[in-house]
Amino acid sequence: MSVSFSAALTAAHDAAGSQHYPTGALYVLASPIGNLADISLRALHVLQLADTLACEDTRHTQQLLRSYGLDSGSKHWLAAHQHNEAEAAQQVIALLQQGKRVAYLSDAGTPGVSDPGARLVAQVQAAGLRCIPLPGASSVTSLLSVAGVVAHGDATGFVFAGFLSSKAQERAQAVQHWASQPLPVVLLEAPHRMEALAQVLQTLGEQRVTVGRELTKQFEEVHTLPAAELPAWLQANPQRLRGEFCLVLHPAAAQASEGLDAQTQRVLRLLLAELPTKAAVKLAADITHAPRNALYEQALAWKDSD
């Protein structure tokens, strides 16, 4: 047993062992995104309790269990990844109907959030069986918590866009679409495509981007900068093109300082008198070619002052 995690396994038993763990249920388990210490005590307990471990990569998860000093050889293993998720779901359902406990892990983070797992959960639920979440590590919420994005007006929450298209034109169109949103937008990117994404984001100028690289790992970097400076930041250190990326695109409204001209404001006021805010802003942007985020911010400012 690993000396590093022997105390954690004891704590997991003490803290989580007395809780109820239904049979015939799928346990959707979040695994660390890099730092092995980011595993929950309840997850460690369920990894020992589960009859079957369904995972994106069985070799990766077997190594994970060995790192915690858990006996991986005594488990029934089932591969469930993006290429066989529908077929694997039927095997999982059969096991659950036999009263087995099945734990599902993707390679890193929370299953079903850009990783496989969503289809598996949907089919298990459709079969009338229970799915139990075991929360834990997520690059999305980890980066958002340190991005320092401040909400403006009535805007709350965030948008998760995940991985954009690998096709240049579709990727550029997606960036322009997400850049106009009044909410922060979370993107994911692989290292071999990060430079291409940075070149597209560069066109957003002063709009700010928070970059998270190798989150939770030894060489973690979190940096906020204008989108125009992103390619240069990557090129300043060759190591920055290694590892997985998570990015938060700050809403442009947060940086908009220039006012709308009188004619644009008049158009916006007329439309707001007849239409809901979102529809009025969209139509005003089409008519005046003013930035949609600036129009939205102005509309919210008028609403707050009424």
Side-chain angles (χ1 to χ4, degrees), residues 5-28:
F5 290 99
S6 59
L9 295 179
T10 301
H13 175 75
D14 293 342
S18 62
Q19 299 173 22
H20 178 53
Y21 298 90
T23 57
L26 175 66
Y27 292 82
V28 182

Side-chain angles (χ1 to χ4, degrees), residues 24-39:
L26 175 66
Y27 292 82
V28 182
L29 192 153
S31 59
I33 58 175
N35 193 317
L36 288 174
D38 291 337
I39 189 78

Side-chain angles (χ1 to χ4, degrees), residues 126-147:
L129 298 163
R130 187 172 179 183
C131 298
I132 300 174
L134 274 70
S138 166
S139 62
V140 175
T141 53
S142 296
L143 187 60
L144 276 168
S145 72
V146 293

